[in-house]
Amino acid sequence: MSHPVAERAPHSGGAAKSGHRGTKVRRQRVRAAWLFLAPMLVTLAMVAGWPLLRTFYFSFTDASLADTGRAALIGFENYLVYDDGAWYGLLTDPVWWTSVWNTVFFSMTSVSLEVVFGVIVALLLNAEFRGRMLVRAAVLIPWAIPTIVSAKMWAWMLNDQFGIINHLLMMLGIIDAPLAWTADADLSMWAVIMVDVWKTIPFVALLVLAALQMLPSDCYEAAEVDGIHPVKVFFRVTLPLITPALMVAVIFRLLDALRVFDVIYVLTSNSTNTMTMSIYARQQLVEFQDVGYGSAASTLLFLIIALITVLYLYLGRRQLGVDQ
């Protein structure tokens, strides 16, 4: 009866040593990772951390662009203050809340359209046909063009006097008179979304295409043998497998869309119909020269983006079962 016990002892000791070595290697890898990340983190702290902290500080002051050195602390008055029987501050400004809604609507709509069309483009580019490499290169052109250049190009094409978009639509009989795409309150937001979607579809398509080319072929061969419809194969096989790549594309595009400035400012300037949180903060900081109030808007913009990002990553981890 003593022999089995004697045989188990060396095995358990080896497992303990193996676990100890595994823990030691893991610690070494973590230390090496932090060592390599340290220069980047220090640079990021100097380039982004200090300005961010300054913005937080100015949001609690009455600083003006003319002389930020004489700023005095005023607490939360830039955000919300009760004075003479009424509430004042950023949180009571209807233009601010309009910019928040515009930002959220623009982000949700544009990112959703980019994901749908990006997946369609990626599926087309993943198919075998002659000249596929040339088509792939051509699809990337909108993404390669600088945003300012593409926005100005679209501003000319959407012009209600000499724009080619109105000219083509009138030739086809779709409209009877030129439309003021960037000036009409009912059209300006959709015009901005259209331009943004046109530019960023290639980014989503590129990430999805990379994921499609990594998929195992045996699943599709089995589905073809069983005679399963391609649409059903896409929703049951392809879409779940490319979900991680889609999540990466969505989080990058969502971060860009929530802080969008250039494309909207070039197309519609300070129009309230398309004003986003970034444009609102810029207006307060530069045009009104109210650094304190503008910094408060920038701080809220940062907090809103951080909250949405953390929430999205948390829900994404639960969806993919990373925690389990």
Side-chain angles (χ1 to χ4, degrees):
M1 297 297 292
S2 62
H3 291 290
V5 176
E7 291 175 357
R8 290 193 193 98
H11 177 72
S12 60
K17 291 180 180 179
S18 176
H20 177 71
R21 285 196 299 269
T23 303
K24 185 177 180 181
V25 170
R26 190 179 303 111
R27 289 175 180 173
Q28 291 176 346
R29 289 179 177 177
V30 171
R31 284 196 295 267
W34 279 110
L35 182 62
F36 284 111
L37 286 173
M40 184 271 293
L41 293 175
V42 172
T43 304
L44 186 62
M46 292 188 298
V47 174
W50 175 244
L52 186 62
L53 292 176
R54 289 275 290 177
T55 301
F56 290 164
Y57 167 74
F58 280 134
S59 69
F60 297 104
T61 68
D62 60 353
S64 66
L65 193 61
D67 187 5
T68 58
R70 296 183 179 180
L73 288 172
I74 58 174
F76 289 90
E77 291 186 13
N78 287 321
Y79 296 95
L80 189 65
V81 62
Y82 186 78
D83 187 23
D84 292 335
W87 290 97
Y88 300 95
L90 183 65
L91 296 178
T92 63
D93 188 351
V95 180
W96 162 254
W97 289 112
T98 299
S99 69
V100 172
W101 163 248
N102 288 340
T103 305
V104 173
F105 179 79
F106 171 84
S107 302
M108 296 298 109
T109 306
S110 62
V111 173
S112 299
L113 292 175
E114 288 157 13
V115 168
V116 172
F117 288 112
V119 171
I120 294 174
V121 171
L123 291 173
L124 294 175
L125 295 179
N126 194 48
E128 294 286 344
F129 59 89
R130 293 183 61 182
R132 183 174 63 170
M133 297 305 296
L134 292 176
V135 175
R136 287 181 178 179
V139 167
L140 292 176
I141 291 177
W143 186 41
I145 299 176
T147 304
I148 297 295
V149 176
S150 62
K152 197 63 180 178
M153 177 184 69
W154 275 98
W156 290 334
M157 292 194 297
L158 293 172
N159 188 277
D160 57 336
Q161 299 297 324
F162 53 81
I164 191 174
I165 301 297
N166 281 324
H167 179 68
L168 292 176
L169 293 177
M170 291 177 67
M171 283 182 59
L172 296 173
I174 299 177
I175 60 176
D176 298 326
L179 299 176
W181 293 94
T182 58
D184 192 327
D186 297 326
L187 297 175
S188 56
M189 178 59 76
W190 291 106
V192 169
I193 290 173
M194 177 182 65
V195 174
D196 186 71
V197 170
W198 171 84
K199 177 171 175 54
T200 51
I201 280 177
F203 172 76
V204 179
L206 189 64
L207 292 182
V208 176
L209 179 61
L212 288 173
Q213 294 184 333
M214 300 280 294
L215 297 183
S217 59
D218 52 353
C219 299
Y220 297 97
E221 293 173 357
E224 185 177 356
V225 171
D226 294 340
I228 302 177
H229 195 277
V231 175
K232 192 173 183 179
V233 172
F234 171 76
F235 285 103
R236 295 292 183 87
V237 179
T238 305
L239 190 58
L241 291 176
I242 65 173
T243 296
L246 277 177
M247 287 187 61
V248 173
V250 169
I251 191 61
F252 274 100
R253 281 301 308 132
L254 193 61
L255 289 174
D256 279 340
L258 287 171
R259 55 185 176 84
V260 64
F261 174 81
D262 41 13
V263 62
I264 294 182
Y265 190 76
V266 171
L267 288 171
T268 61
S269 190
N270 288 328
S271 173
T272 308
N273 299 318
T274 56
M275 179 178 288
T276 60
M277 291 184 284
S278 296
I279 295 177
Y280 179 92
R282 183 259 175 198
Q283 185 184 55
Q284 302 298 325
L285 285 166
V286 178
E287 296 186 11
F288 300 158
Q289 299 191 6
D290 193 343
V291 175
Y293 201 80
S295 297
S298 301
T299 301
L300 285 184
L301 169 61
F302 170 79
L303 294 177
I304 291 173
I305 293 177
L307 178 63
I308 293 177
T309 303
V310 170
L311 181 62
Y312 176 81
L313 291 176
Y314 173 74
L315 295 177
R317 286 173 63 88
R318 291 181 61 86
Q319 173 100 21
L320 295 176
V322 174
D323 294 336
Q324 283 77 22

PDB file of all heavy atoms in Angstrom, residues 95-126:
ATOM      1  N   VAL A  95     -26.913  74.918 -26.328  1.00  0.00           N
ATOM      2  CA  VAL A  95     -26.023  74.680 -27.468  1.00  0.00           C
ATOM      3  C   VAL A  95     -25.066  73.536 -27.164  1.00  0.00           C
ATOM      4  O   VAL A  95     -24.752  72.722 -28.048  1.00  0.00           O
ATOM      5  CB  VAL A  95     -25.241  75.960 -27.818  1.00  0.00           C
ATOM      6  CG1 VAL A  95     -24.315  75.721 -29.005  1.00  0.00           C
ATOM      7  CG2 VAL A  95     -26.192  77.106 -28.134  1.00  0.00           C
ATOM      8  N   TRP A  96     -24.609  73.436 -25.914  1.00  0.00           N
ATOM      9  CA  TRP A  96     -23.742  72.326 -25.533  1.00  0.00           C
ATOM     10  C   TRP A  96     -24.459  70.996 -25.684  1.00  0.00           C
ATOM     11  O   TRP A  96     -23.922  70.042 -26.246  1.00  0.00           O
ATOM     12  CB  TRP A  96     -23.241  72.504 -24.104  1.00  0.00           C
ATOM     13  CG  TRP A  96     -22.703  71.245 -23.482  1.00  0.00           C
ATOM     14  CD1 TRP A  96     -23.295  70.482 -22.532  1.00  0.00           C
ATOM     15  CD2 TRP A  96     -21.460  70.595 -23.806  1.00  0.00           C
ATOM     16  NE1 TRP A  96     -22.519  69.399 -22.219  1.00  0.00           N
ATOM     17  CE2 TRP A  96     -21.383  69.443 -22.992  1.00  0.00           C
ATOM     18  CE3 TRP A  96     -20.423  70.868 -24.687  1.00  0.00           C
ATOM     19  CZ2 TRP A  96     -20.306  68.569 -23.043  1.00  0.00           C
ATOM     20  CZ3 TRP A  96     -19.338  70.004 -24.746  1.00  0.00           C
ATOM     21  CH2 TRP A  96     -19.288  68.865 -23.926  1.00  0.00           C
ATOM     22  N   TRP A  97     -25.684  70.926 -25.187  1.00  0.00           N
ATOM     23  CA  TRP A  97     -26.424  69.663 -25.275  1.00  0.00           C
ATOM     24  C   TRP A  97     -26.787  69.336 -26.724  1.00  0.00           C
ATOM     25  O   TRP A  97     -26.858  68.160 -27.096  1.00  0.00           O
ATOM     26  CB  TRP A  97     -27.666  69.722 -24.392  1.00  0.00           C
ATOM     27  CG  TRP A  97     -27.328  69.685 -22.940  1.00  0.00           C
ATOM     28  CD1 TRP A  97     -27.472  70.692 -22.029  1.00  0.00           C
ATOM     29  CD2 TRP A  97     -26.753  68.583 -22.229  1.00  0.00           C
ATOM     30  NE1 TRP A  97     -27.026  70.294 -20.799  1.00  0.00           N
ATOM     31  CE2 TRP A  97     -26.581  69.000 -20.889  1.00  0.00           C
ATOM     32  CE3 TRP A  97     -26.368  67.295 -22.590  1.00  0.00           C
ATOM     33  CZ2 TRP A  97     -26.049  68.165 -19.920  1.00  0.00           C
ATOM     34  CZ3 TRP A  97     -25.825  66.470 -21.622  1.00  0.00           C
ATOM     35  CH2 TRP A  97     -25.671  66.899 -20.301  1.00  0.00           C
ATOM     36  N   THR A  98     -26.984  70.366 -27.541  1.00  0.00           N
ATOM     37  CA  THR A  98     -27.187  70.117 -28.970  1.00  0.00           C
ATOM     38  C   THR A  98     -25.930  69.516 -29.594  1.00  0.00           C
ATOM     39  O   THR A  98     -26.006  68.578 -30.407  1.00  0.00           O
ATOM     40  CB  THR A  98     -27.545  71.425 -29.702  1.00  0.00           C
ATOM     41  OG1 THR A  98     -28.754  71.953 -29.159  1.00  0.00           O
ATOM     42  CG2 THR A  98     -27.729  71.182 -31.194  1.00  0.00           C
ATOM     43  N   SER A  99     -24.766  70.029 -29.205  1.00  0.00           N
ATOM     44  CA  SER A  99     -23.515  69.487 -29.725  1.00  0.00           C
ATOM     45  C   SER A  99     -23.279  68.057 -29.246  1.00  0.00           C
ATOM     46  O   SER A  99     -22.734  67.230 -29.989  1.00  0.00           O
ATOM     47  CB  SER A  99     -22.342  70.382 -29.323  1.00  0.00           C
ATOM     48  OG  SER A  99     -22.101  70.321 -27.927  1.00  0.00           O
ATOM     49  N   VAL A 100     -23.696  67.756 -28.005  1.00  0.00           N
ATOM     50  CA  VAL A 100     -23.570  66.386 -27.501  1.00  0.00           C
ATOM     51  C   VAL A 100     -24.435  65.444 -28.329  1.00  0.00           C
ATOM     52  O   VAL A 100     -23.991  64.366 -28.757  1.00  0.00           O
ATOM     53  CB  VAL A 100     -23.957  66.313 -26.012  1.00  0.00           C
ATOM     54  CG1 VAL A 100     -24.012  64.860 -25.538  1.00  0.00           C
ATOM     55  CG2 VAL A 100     -22.978  67.100 -25.156  1.00  0.00           C
ATOM     56  N   TRP A 101     -25.682  65.840 -28.587  1.00  0.00           N
ATOM     57  CA  TRP A 101     -26.575  65.004 -29.380  1.00  0.00           C
ATOM     58  C   TRP A 101     -26.052  64.853 -30.802  1.00  0.00           C
ATOM     59  O   TRP A 101     -26.079  63.746 -31.361  1.00  0.00           O
ATOM     60  CB  TRP A 101     -27.981  65.596 -29.388  1.00  0.00           C
ATOM     61  CG  TRP A 101     -28.838  65.028 -30.489  1.00  0.00           C
ATOM     62  CD1 TRP A 101     -29.311  65.671 -31.588  1.00  0.00           C
ATOM     63  CD2 TRP A 101     -29.312  63.688 -30.585  1.00  0.00           C
ATOM     64  NE1 TRP A 101     -30.045  64.831 -32.373  1.00  0.00           N
ATOM     65  CE2 TRP A 101     -30.067  63.598 -31.790  1.00  0.00           C
ATOM     66  CE3 TRP A 101     -29.167  62.547 -29.795  1.00  0.00           C
ATOM     67  CZ2 TRP A 101     -30.663  62.418 -32.199  1.00  0.00           C
ATOM     68  CZ3 TRP A 101     -29.759  61.354 -30.213  1.00  0.00           C
ATOM     69  CH2 TRP A 101     -30.505  61.307 -31.394  1.00  0.00           C
ATOM     70  N   ASN A 102     -25.570  65.939 -31.391  1.00  0.00           N
ATOM     71  CA  ASN A 102     -25.020  65.864 -32.747  1.00  0.00           C
ATOM     72  C   ASN A 102     -23.836  64.897 -32.800  1.00  0.00           C
ATOM     73  O   ASN A 102     -23.707  64.114 -33.753  1.00  0.00           O
ATOM     74  CB  ASN A 102     -24.566  67.248 -33.215  1.00  0.00           C
ATOM     75  CG  ASN A 102     -25.719  68.171 -33.529  1.00  0.00           C
ATOM     76  OD1 ASN A 102     -26.842  67.733 -33.770  1.00  0.00           O
ATOM     77  ND2 ASN A 102     -25.468  69.466 -33.522  1.00  0.00           N
ATOM     78  N   THR A 103     -22.975  64.949 -31.782  1.00  0.00           N
ATOM     79  CA  THR A 103     -21.804  64.075 -31.744  1.00  0.00           C
ATOM     80  C   THR A 103     -22.215  62.612 -31.643  1.00  0.00           C
ATOM     81  O   THR A 103     -21.695  61.748 -32.360  1.00  0.00           O
ATOM     82  CB  THR A 103     -20.887  64.441 -30.573  1.00  0.00           C
ATOM     83  OG1 THR A 103     -20.544  65.824 -30.647  1.00  0.00           O
ATOM     84  CG2 THR A 103     -19.627  63.599 -30.582  1.00  0.00           C
ATOM     85  N   VAL A 104     -23.157  62.330 -30.744  1.00  0.00           N
ATOM     86  CA  VAL A 104     -23.605  60.947 -30.557  1.00  0.00           C
ATOM     87  C   VAL A 104     -24.313  60.435 -31.811  1.00  0.00           C
ATOM     88  O   VAL A 104     -24.057  59.301 -32.272  1.00  0.00           O
ATOM     89  CB  VAL A 104     -24.530  60.844 -29.328  1.00  0.00           C
ATOM     90  CG1 VAL A 104     -25.141  59.447 -29.226  1.00  0.00           C
ATOM     91  CG2 VAL A 104     -23.770  61.182 -28.054  1.00  0.00           C
ATOM     92  N   PHE A 105     -25.181  61.254 -32.394  1.00  0.00           N
ATOM     93  CA  PHE A 105     -25.896  60.844 -33.601  1.00  0.00           C
ATOM     94  C   PHE A 105     -24.915  60.610 -34.753  1.00  0.00           C
ATOM     95  O   PHE A 105     -25.007  59.598 -35.465  1.00  0.00           O
ATOM     96  CB  PHE A 105     -26.918  61.908 -33.994  1.00  0.00           C
ATOM     97  CG  PHE A 105     -27.688  61.580 -35.247  1.00  0.00           C
ATOM     98  CD1 PHE A 105     -28.745  60.694 -35.203  1.00  0.00           C
ATOM     99  CD2 PHE A 105     -27.346  62.155 -36.455  1.00  0.00           C
ATOM    100  CE1 PHE A 105     -29.459  60.377 -36.354  1.00  0.00           C
ATOM    101  CE2 PHE A 105     -28.047  61.857 -37.614  1.00  0.00           C
ATOM    102  CZ  PHE A 105     -29.106  60.965 -37.559  1.00  0.00           C
ATOM    103  N   PHE A 106     -23.981  61.532 -34.929  1.00  0.00           N
ATOM    104  CA  PHE A 106     -22.978  61.383 -35.984  1.00  0.00           C
ATOM    105  C   PHE A 106     -22.156  60.115 -35.773  1.00  0.00           C
ATOM    106  O   PHE A 106     -21.921  59.349 -36.725  1.00  0.00           O
ATOM    107  CB  PHE A 106     -22.065  62.608 -36.001  1.00  0.00           C
ATOM    108  CG  PHE A 106     -20.867  62.468 -36.900  1.00  0.00           C
ATOM    109  CD1 PHE A 106     -20.969  62.748 -38.253  1.00  0.00           C
ATOM    110  CD2 PHE A 106     -19.648  62.046 -36.387  1.00  0.00           C
ATOM    111  CE1 PHE A 106     -19.871  62.613 -39.079  1.00  0.00           C
ATOM    112  CE2 PHE A 106     -18.544  61.916 -37.210  1.00  0.00           C
ATOM    113  CZ  PHE A 106     -18.658  62.196 -38.562  1.00  0.00           C
ATOM    114  N   SER A 107     -21.719  59.873 -34.550  1.00  0.00           N
ATOM    115  CA  SER A 107     -20.862  58.719 -34.273  1.00  0.00           C
ATOM    116  C   SER A 107     -21.599  57.412 -34.501  1.00  0.00           C
ATOM    117  O   SER A 107     -21.090  56.509 -35.196  1.00  0.00           O
ATOM    118  CB  SER A 107     -20.344  58.792 -32.829  1.00  0.00           C
ATOM    119  OG  SER A 107     -19.635  59.981 -32.604  1.00  0.00           O
ATOM    120  N   MET A 108     -22.797  57.281 -33.926  1.00  0.00           N
ATOM    121  CA  MET A 108     -23.532  56.030 -34.054  1.00  0.00           C
ATOM    122  C   MET A 108     -23.902  55.743 -35.509  1.00  0.00           C
ATOM    123  O   MET A 108     -23.761  54.617 -35.996  1.00  0.00           O
ATOM    124  CB  MET A 108     -24.805  56.082 -33.194  1.00  0.00           C
ATOM    125  CG  MET A 108     -24.557  56.196 -31.699  1.00  0.00           C
ATOM    126  SD  MET A 108     -23.660  54.785 -31.012  1.00  0.00           S
ATOM    127  CE  MET A 108     -22.076  55.560 -30.657  1.00  0.00           C
ATOM    128  N   THR A 109     -24.371  56.772 -36.210  1.00  0.00           N
ATOM    129  CA  THR A 109     -24.813  56.569 -37.594  1.00  0.00           C
ATOM    130  C   THR A 109     -23.640  56.267 -38.521  1.00  0.00           C
ATOM    131  O   THR A 109     -23.677  55.307 -39.304  1.00  0.00           O
ATOM    132  CB  THR A 109     -25.565  57.810 -38.106  1.00  0.00           C
ATOM    133  OG1 THR A 109     -26.623  58.131 -37.204  1.00  0.00           O
ATOM    134  CG2 THR A 109     -26.151  57.552 -39.489  1.00  0.00           C
ATOM    135  N   SER A 110     -22.597  57.072 -38.442  1.00  0.00           N
ATOM    136  CA  SER A 110     -21.463  56.888 -39.352  1.00  0.00           C
ATOM    137  C   SER A 110     -20.746  55.566 -39.094  1.00  0.00           C
ATOM    138  O   SER A 110     -20.418  54.838 -40.043  1.00  0.00           O
ATOM    139  CB  SER A 110     -20.483  58.058 -39.227  1.00  0.00           C
ATOM    140  OG  SER A 110     -19.958  58.133 -37.921  1.00  0.00           O
ATOM    141  N   VAL A 111     -20.505  55.222 -37.829  1.00  0.00           N
ATOM    142  CA  VAL A 111     -19.807  53.975 -37.523  1.00  0.00           C
ATOM    143  C   VAL A 111     -20.642  52.773 -37.943  1.00  0.00           C
ATOM    144  O   VAL A 111     -20.112  51.788 -38.488  1.00  0.00           O
ATOM    145  CB  VAL A 111     -19.449  53.909 -36.027  1.00  0.00           C
ATOM    146  CG1 VAL A 111     -18.887  52.538 -35.666  1.00  0.00           C
ATOM    147  CG2 VAL A 111     -18.439  54.987 -35.682  1.00  0.00           C
ATOM    148  N   SER A 112     -21.951  52.822 -37.734  1.00  0.00           N
ATOM    149  CA  SER A 112     -22.822  51.713 -38.151  1.00  0.00           C
ATOM    150  C   SER A 112     -22.767  51.518 -39.664  1.00  0.00           C
ATOM    151  O   SER A 112     -22.635  50.381 -40.163  1.00  0.00           O
ATOM    152  CB  SER A 112     -24.254  51.977 -37.703  1.00  0.00           C
ATOM    153  OG  SER A 112     -24.348  52.082 -36.305  1.00  0.00           O
ATOM    154  N   LEU A 113     -22.875  52.613 -40.415  1.00  0.00           N
ATOM    155  CA  LEU A 113     -22.809  52.513 -41.874  1.00  0.00           C
ATOM    156  C   LEU A 113     -21.439  52.030 -42.333  1.00  0.00           C
ATOM    157  O   LEU A 113     -21.331  51.240 -43.285  1.00  0.00           O
ATOM    158  CB  LEU A 113     -23.138  53.867 -42.502  1.00  0.00           C
ATOM    159  CG  LEU A 113     -24.586  54.352 -42.335  1.00  0.00           C
ATOM    160  CD1 LEU A 113     -24.743  55.773 -42.891  1.00  0.00           C
ATOM    161  CD2 LEU A 113     -25.549  53.414 -43.038  1.00  0.00           C
ATOM    162  N   GLU A 114     -20.396  52.497 -41.681  1.00  0.00           N
ATOM    163  CA  GLU A 114     -19.044  52.086 -42.066  1.00  0.00           C
ATOM    164  C   GLU A 114     -18.834  50.599 -41.833  1.00  0.00           C
ATOM    165  O   GLU A 114     -18.174  49.928 -42.637  1.00  0.00           O
ATOM    166  CB  GLU A 114     -18.015  52.894 -41.282  1.00  0.00           C
ATOM    167  CG  GLU A 114     -17.911  54.344 -41.724  1.00  0.00           C
ATOM    168  CD  GLU A 114     -17.351  55.245 -40.655  1.00  0.00           C
ATOM    169  OE1 GLU A 114     -16.808  54.730 -39.653  1.00  0.00           O
ATOM    170  OE2 GLU A 114     -17.457  56.481 -40.806  1.00  0.00           O
ATOM    171  N   VAL A 115     -19.388  50.069 -40.746  1.00  0.00           N
ATOM    172  CA  VAL A 115     -19.239  48.644 -40.471  1.00  0.00           C
ATOM    173  C   VAL A 115     -19.984  47.816 -41.521  1.00  0.00           C
ATOM    174  O   VAL A 115     -19.445  46.840 -42.069  1.00  0.00           O
ATOM    175  CB  VAL A 115     -19.745  48.317 -39.052  1.00  0.00           C
ATOM    176  CG1 VAL A 115     -19.864  46.816 -38.853  1.00  0.00           C
ATOM    177  CG2 VAL A 115     -18.812  48.905 -38.006  1.00  0.00           C
ATOM    178  N   VAL A 116     -21.217  48.209 -41.832  1.00  0.00           N
ATOM    179  CA  VAL A 116     -22.013  47.447 -42.810  1.00  0.00           C
ATOM    180  C   VAL A 116     -21.338  47.476 -44.179  1.00  0.00           C
ATOM    181  O   VAL A 116     -21.084  46.424 -44.794  1.00  0.00           O
ATOM    182  CB  VAL A 116     -23.444  48.019 -42.891  1.00  0.00           C
ATOM    183  CG1 VAL A 116     -24.206  47.353 -44.037  1.00  0.00           C
ATOM    184  CG2 VAL A 116     -24.174  47.811 -41.570  1.00  0.00           C
ATOM    185  N   PHE A 117     -21.030  48.664 -44.683  1.00  0.00           N
ATOM    186  CA  PHE A 117     -20.427  48.769 -46.012  1.00  0.00           C
ATOM    187  C   PHE A 117     -18.984  48.242 -46.014  1.00  0.00           C
ATOM    188  O   PHE A 117     -18.523  47.712 -47.028  1.00  0.00           O
ATOM    189  CB  PHE A 117     -20.469  50.216 -46.494  1.00  0.00           C
ATOM    190  CG  PHE A 117     -21.839  50.682 -46.866  1.00  0.00           C
ATOM    191  CD1 PHE A 117     -22.495  51.653 -46.122  1.00  0.00           C
ATOM    192  CD2 PHE A 117     -22.501  50.156 -47.961  1.00  0.00           C
ATOM    193  CE1 PHE A 117     -23.764  52.084 -46.448  1.00  0.00           C
ATOM    194  CE2 PHE A 117     -23.772  50.581 -48.303  1.00  0.00           C
ATOM    195  CZ  PHE A 117     -24.406  51.548 -47.548  1.00  0.00           C
ATOM    196  N   GLY A 118     -18.276  48.409 -44.890  1.00  0.00           N
ATOM    197  CA  GLY A 118     -16.917  47.885 -44.812  1.00  0.00           C
ATOM    198  C   GLY A 118     -16.882  46.370 -44.932  1.00  0.00           C
ATOM    199  O   GLY A 118     -16.011  45.809 -45.612  1.00  0.00           O
ATOM    200  N   VAL A 119     -17.830  45.691 -44.281  1.00  0.00           N
ATOM    201  CA  VAL A 119     -17.900  44.230 -44.377  1.00  0.00           C
ATOM    202  C   VAL A 119     -18.253  43.807 -45.805  1.00  0.00           C
ATOM    203  O   VAL A 119     -17.679  42.847 -46.346  1.00  0.00           O
ATOM    204  CB  VAL A 119     -18.930  43.682 -43.371  1.00  0.00           C
ATOM    205  CG1 VAL A 119     -19.183  42.196 -43.612  1.00  0.00           C
ATOM    206  CG2 VAL A 119     -18.445  43.909 -41.936  1.00  0.00           C
ATOM    207  N   ILE A 120     -19.186  44.530 -46.433  1.00  0.00           N
ATOM    208  CA  ILE A 120     -19.558  44.196 -47.814  1.00  0.00           C
ATOM    209  C   ILE A 120     -18.368  44.362 -48.755  1.00  0.00           C
ATOM    210  O   ILE A 120     -18.080  43.485 -49.585  1.00  0.00           O
ATOM    211  CB  ILE A 120     -20.734  45.079 -48.267  1.00  0.00           C
ATOM    212  CG1 ILE A 120     -21.995  44.740 -47.454  1.00  0.00           C
ATOM    213  CG2 ILE A 120     -21.011  44.894 -49.759  1.00  0.00           C
ATOM    214  CD1 ILE A 120     -23.164  45.664 -47.739  1.00  0.00           C
ATOM    215  N   VAL A 121     -17.650  45.465 -48.613  1.00  0.00           N
ATOM    216  CA  VAL A 121     -16.475  45.702 -49.459  1.00  0.00           C
ATOM    217  C   VAL A 121     -15.412  44.639 -49.196  1.00  0.00           C
ATOM    218  O   VAL A 121     -14.775  44.131 -50.135  1.00  0.00           O
ATOM    219  CB  VAL A 121     -15.913  47.114 -49.215  1.00  0.00           C
ATOM    220  CG1 VAL A 121     -14.575  47.300 -49.922  1.00  0.00           C
ATOM    221  CG2 VAL A 121     -16.906  48.163 -49.691  1.00  0.00           C
ATOM    222  N   ALA A 122     -15.214  44.276 -47.943  1.00  0.00           N
ATOM    223  CA  ALA A 122     -14.208  43.259 -47.617  1.00  0.00           C
ATOM    224  C   ALA A 122     -14.574  41.909 -48.222  1.00  0.00           C
ATOM    225  O   ALA A 122     -13.695  41.186 -48.726  1.00  0.00           O
ATOM    226  CB  ALA A 122     -14.072  43.148 -46.095  1.00  0.00           C
ATOM    227  N   LEU A 123     -15.841  41.553 -48.173  1.00  0.00           N
ATOM    228  CA  LEU A 123     -16.280  40.286 -48.777  1.00  0.00           C
ATOM    229  C   LEU A 123     -16.064  40.289 -50.284  1.00  0.00           C
ATOM    230  O   LEU A 123     -15.655  39.274 -50.878  1.00  0.00           O
ATOM    231  CB  LEU A 123     -17.753  40.032 -48.460  1.00  0.00           C
ATOM    232  CG  LEU A 123     -18.080  39.721 -46.991  1.00  0.00           C
ATOM    233  CD1 LEU A 123     -19.584  39.666 -46.789  1.00  0.00           C
ATOM    234  CD2 LEU A 123     -17.433  38.410 -46.560  1.00  0.00           C
ATOM    235  N   LEU A 124     -16.313  41.425 -50.923  1.00  0.00           N
ATOM    236  CA  LEU A 124     -16.084  41.525 -52.369  1.00  0.00           C
ATOM    237  C   LEU A 124     -14.594  41.432 -52.697  1.00  0.00           C
ATOM    238  O   LEU A 124     -14.200  40.758 -53.663  1.00  0.00           O
ATOM    239  CB  LEU A 124     -16.661  42.840 -52.902  1.00  0.00           C
ATOM    240  CG  LEU A 124     -18.188  42.977 -52.842  1.00  0.00           C
ATOM    241  CD1 LEU A 124     -18.612  44.373 -53.296  1.00  0.00           C
ATOM    242  CD2 LEU A 124     -18.864  41.916 -53.700  1.00  0.00           C
ATOM    243  N   LEU A 125     -13.770  42.105 -51.907  1.00  0.00           N
ATOM    244  CA  LEU A 125     -12.326  42.073 -52.158  1.00  0.00           C
ATOM    245  C   LEU A 125     -11.712  40.726 -51.825  1.00  0.00           C
ATOM    246  O   LEU A 125     -10.616  40.400 -52.321  1.00  0.00           O
ATOM    247  CB  LEU A 125     -11.628  43.163 -51.341  1.00  0.00           C
ATOM    248  CG  LEU A 125     -11.979  44.611 -51.691  1.00  0.00           C
ATOM    249  CD1 LEU A 125     -11.229  45.570 -50.785  1.00  0.00           C
ATOM    250  CD2 LEU A 125     -11.663  44.905 -53.146  1.00  0.00           C
ATOM    251  N   ASN A 126     -12.372  39.938 -50.992  1.00  0.00           N
ATOM    252  CA  ASN A 126     -11.862  38.622 -50.635  1.00  0.00           C
ATOM    253  C   ASN A 126     -12.167  37.575 -51.699  1.00  0.00           C
ATOM    254  O   ASN A 126     -11.594  36.479 -51.680  1.00  0.00           O
ATOM    255  CB  ASN A 126     -12.455  38.189 -49.292  1.00  0.00           C
ATOM    256  CG  ASN A 126     -11.733  37.013 -48.689  1.00  0.00           C
ATOM    257  OD1 ASN A 126     -10.506  36.997 -48.622  1.00  0.00           O
ATOM    258  ND2 ASN A 126     -12.477  36.010 -48.247  1.00  0.00           N
TER     259      ASN A 126
END
